[in-house]
Amino acid sequence: MEVQNVLHMTPGEGKTSYAMNSEYQKRAIIKAKPIVEEAITDLYCKTVPRSMAIADLGCSSGPNTLLVISEIVEAISLMCQKLGHRSPELQVYLNDLPGNDFNTIFKSIPFFVEKHRTDKENEFGPCFMSGIPGSFYERLFPAETLDFVHSSNSLHYLSQVPHGIENNKGNIYIAATSPPNVPIAYFTQFQMDFTLFLSLRSAELVPGGRMVITILGRRNIDPSSKEHCDSWELLAQSLRDMVYQGLVDEAKLDSFNLPLYSPCLEEVKAVIEEQGSFHLNLLEAFDAEGDTNYDYEKEVEFDDFIKAVSRTVRAVTESMLVSHFGEEILEELFDKYAKYVGQYIGKEKNKYVNLIMSMTKKG
């Protein structure tokens, strides 16, 4: 799988799109809001810049993209009001892989800018926004031009599927039945990718620049623990059923593995310290209840709920599945997946673990 050419969230604003099925990611952004606000206001107070360059890496599309930028703009505006300063000019860069649905983002930018200008009664400083297609495992910006980097729910995606895991048969990620070399290969790939990411961002940030990253992770040191892996195991089981029914070739399943890794706190801290370009100001884990927690007190039909869960997973995996298996399997696959989710609910209370880190570039 050529990740850079294949991976993107499901585009558009239709029923199965990422824009309509990203509530979990929204909850993670909201939970991280205080740390983002602290980092951006601390940066502003220490530098009092006339202009600020801000990059959101792995921005995806839909309402969550501009929600992050809105939080950052609001925090800067409030600090400027408190200090009696004119708002700085903002250059906002929205980055994702080339297959991202940038068109949907661009259509919403005029409304976003006008809303903030109206809300601030024309005290809203100039805000210039642009899309930057490309992998964040490559250089994206000129040296020392960024003041603030943000990334949410993106860095768990790897630059490639780890090498040497052809024996992970019947699985699509690290599972309890995976051979011992599989988690080692995934961790090794994460180490290389995260180290590279830090090095690249260090080159692009000004000295003293700030970076806040939220990533899917885990507290348990065991990478096959149930902290979020159940979603992938239910999807793998759905694919195994289709193999048994003759709808998917077994060799196709055996050669498919997801290009992602959810690290633990210790793994993240070790890479940051070894890479050495950043002061680690904060690193902590927080829980966000997963979409597989059904609230029986809400007036939502159970069948509708599990279909919504299925659409959420489909929105983030569809591009990879279509590239490998073909589009014709999707409806049957996610019908099966929804049934497994229905069986799963009530047996387990699923909480997704997020890791959030706030860093300052050494200068």
Side-chain angles (χ1 to χ4, degrees):
M1 182 192 303
E2 293 291 334
V3 174
Q4 184 167 340
N5 297 328
V6 170
L7 178 61
H8 59 79
M9 304 300 100
T10 302
E13 297 177 306
K15 189 174 182 180
T16 62
S17 68
Y18 180 81
M20 298 298 292
N21 296 282
S22 52
E23 181 63 27
Y24 163 74
Q25 292 87 343
K26 178 181 178 180
R27 290 199 295 268
I29 289 169
I30 292 171
K31 281 242 186 183
K33 179 180 177 181
I35 294 168
V36 173
E37 289 177 335
E38 186 280 330
I40 196 73
T41 54
D42 179 66
L43 174 63
Y44 177 83
C45 290
K46 286 180 177 176
T47 58
V48 194
R50 294 179 60 185
S51 64
M52 298 182 74
I54 297 163
D56 186 29
L57 307 184
C59 66
S60 193
S61 62
N64 291 347
T65 298
L66 295 184
L67 171 62
V68 171
I69 303 306
S70 183
E71 291 177 353
I72 292 171
V73 168
E74 186 69 24
I76 294 171
S77 178
L78 288 174
M79 183 54 61
C80 289
Q81 290 178 20
K82 182 178 179 180
L83 298 175
H85 294 171
R86 180 186 295 272
S87 293
E89 294 187 348
L90 301 179
Q91 176 65 63
V92 177
Y93 300 104
L94 303 174
N95 156 260
D96 213 310
L97 292 173
N100 186 54
D101 185 9
F102 285 102
N103 285 337
T104 297
I105 299 174
F106 294 155
K107 289 176 184 177
S108 62
I109 286 175
F111 174 78
F112 168 85
V113 172
E114 184 58 34
K115 180 179 184 301
H116 276 275
R117 184 174 288 119
T118 302
D119 291 348
K120 306 290 185 303
E121 297 181 350
N122 294 319
E123 294 180 5
F124 177 60
C127 182
F128 308 98
M129 304 181 74
S130 56
I132 307 294
S135 170
F136 49 50
Y137 294 122
E138 299 173 354
R139 279 289 298 275
L140 295 167
F141 307 97
E144 297 190 355
T145 56
L146 299 179
D147 297 289
F148 187 82
V149 170
H150 172 270
S151 183
S152 180
N153 271 280
S154 296
L155 265 170
H156 51 272
Y157 289 107
L158 302 171
S159 65
Q160 62 182 28
V161 175
H163 292 300
I165 58 171
E166 294 80 7
N167 58 342
N168 196 31
K169 297 184 182 299
N171 299 309
I172 62 173
Y173 181 58
I174 303 168
T177 57
S178 295
N181 65 293
V182 172
I184 294 172
Y186 267 101
F187 174 56
T188 300
Q189 187 64 50
F190 169 76
Q191 279 184 309
M192 292 189 296
D193 282 348
F194 192 38
T195 298
L196 177 60
F197 176 88
L198 294 172
S199 298
L200 297 170
R201 303 296 82 80
S202 174
E204 296 165 349
L205 277 160
V206 300
R210 298 292 297 265
M211 185 158 62
V212 177
I213 297 169
T214 305
I215 182 174
L216 273 177
R218 65 184 196 276
R219 288 190 175 88
N220 196 316
I221 198 168
D222 178 7
S224 65
S225 68
K226 287 187 176 236
E227 292 176 322
H228 98 84
C229 284
D230 282 342
S231 293
W232 310 131
E233 179 51 33
L234 296 180
L235 186 58
Q237 183 60 58
S238 303
L239 285 164
R240 289 194 291 268
D241 285 355
M242 296 186 75
V243 169
Y244 180 76
Q245 294 176 303
L247 301 174
V248 168
D249 185 76
E250 185 174 10
K252 278 280 190 181
L253 174 56
D254 289 344
S255 62
F256 180 73
N257 288 284
L258 292 169
L260 57 86
Y261 183 74
S262 297
C264 64
L265 289 162
E266 293 82 0
E267 290 169 344
V268 168
K269 184 178 181 181
V271 173
I272 294 171
E273 290 180 346
E274 184 172 349
Q275 195 279 326
S277 295
F278 292 89
H279 295 290
L280 182 59
N281 306 314
L282 175 144
L283 173 61
E284 61 185 33
F286 65 86
D287 292 332
E289 288 192 358
D291 289 328
T292 52
N293 292 315
Y294 180 63
D295 188 342
Y296 291 92
E297 296 181 2
K298 288 185 178 180
E299 296 181 0
V300 178
E301 292 292 333
F302 186 75
D303 285 348
D304 292 338
F305 177 78
I306 61 174
K307 287 177 182 177
V309 174
S310 180
R311 289 195 299 269
T312 297
V313 173
R314 175 173 175 170
V316 300
T317 59
E318 181 171 323
S319 64
M320 296 179 284
L321 291 166
V322 168
S323 173
H324 191 80
F325 296 101
E327 190 173 2
E328 61 275 7
I329 76 162
L330 287 178
E331 299 305 323
E332 178 75 16
L333 174 63
F334 283 101
D335 282 347
K336 291 180 179 296
Y337 181 78
K339 291 176 183 177
Y340 276 117
V341 169
Q343 296 169 11
Y344 178 88
I345 294 170
K347 297 179 182 178
E348 300 282 350
K349 188 168 179 64
N350 192 25
K351 285 192 175 183
Y352 288 90
V353 177
N354 290 264
L355 309 185
I356 185 164
M357 60 210 82
S358 179
M359 292 172 272
T360 302
K361 179 186 169 181
K362 296 176 181 178

